[in-house]
């Protein structure tokens, strides 16, 4: 999971920089704020792409020694989101600061 987090952070940071470059050519405030939604979509797409690259089914229940086929167990996708959301939040905050400074 740690290597997944690190790779996701690197790729998401690159996507953020692409969006910052796009931001420089925009004049409309609403259009600029919509970039936050675009960043969110990039985050979800990166998780899916990376999971596909690593052969991880995001819908499958996360297997650990405690779940024993528990119907309330979390999926791989939910675990990944939970463990990477802080990366997304930090980078989205940085992007928001760039948007409001322009």
């Amino acid at each position: 999971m740690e290597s997944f987090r690190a790779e996701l952070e690197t790729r998401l940071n690159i996507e953020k920089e692409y969006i910052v470059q796009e931001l420089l050519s925009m004049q409309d405030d609403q259009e600029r704020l919509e970039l936050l939604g675009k960043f969110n979509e990039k985050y979800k797409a990166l998780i899916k792409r990376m999971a596909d690259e690593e052969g991880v089914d995001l819908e499958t229940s996360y297997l650990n020694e405690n779940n024993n086929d528990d119907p309330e167990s979390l999926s791989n996708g939910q675990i990944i989101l939970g463990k990477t959301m802080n990366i997304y939040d930090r980078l989205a905050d940085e992007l928001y600061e760039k948007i409001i400074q322009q």
Side-chain angles (χ1 to χ4, degrees):
M1 181 55 75
E2 284 307 309
S3 63
F4 191 96
R5 282 183 88 249
E7 181 66 21
L8 178 67
E9 183 171 11
T10 299
R11 292 185 189 192
L12 198 55
N13 202 20
I14 291 168
E15 292 296 337
K16 181 191 83 168
E17 292 306 316
Y18 284 134
I19 290 174
V20 167
Q21 292 303 313
E22 193 176 330
L23 171 68
L24 297 175
S25 66
M26 294 181 168
Q27 301 298 323
D28 181 52
D29 289 340
Q30 181 63 35
E31 189 176 72
R32 293 163 75 193
L33 284 175
E34 289 172 2
L35 290 175
L36 289 171
K38 181 177 182 178
F39 186 67
N40 181 272
E41 292 303 315
K42 294 282 187 180
Y43 169 63
K44 291 188 268 184
L46 274 173
I47 287 176
K48 182 171 177 8
R49 185 176 327 130
M50 289 176 61
D52 287 347
E53 289 170 4
E54 296 192 20
V56 174
D57 182 353
L58 294 174
E59 301 300 318
T60 301
S61 290
Y62 177 74
L63 296 177
N64 65 33
E65 60 278 355
N66 298 325
N67 75 355
N68 298 329
D69 295 327
D70 180 0
E72 294 183 21
S73 65
L74 299 174
S75 70
N76 287 328
Q78 290 168 317
I79 295 293
I80 290 170
L81 285 173
K83 293 194 179 264
T84 61
M85 187 59 72
N86 63 335
I87 294 168
Y88 168 79
D89 287 342
R90 181 176 45 81
L91 294 175
D93 286 347
E94 290 173 11
L95 180 59
Y96 178 74
E97 287 299 317
K98 297 254 186 212
I99 288 171
I100 63 172
Q101 288 174 359
Q102 295 291 324

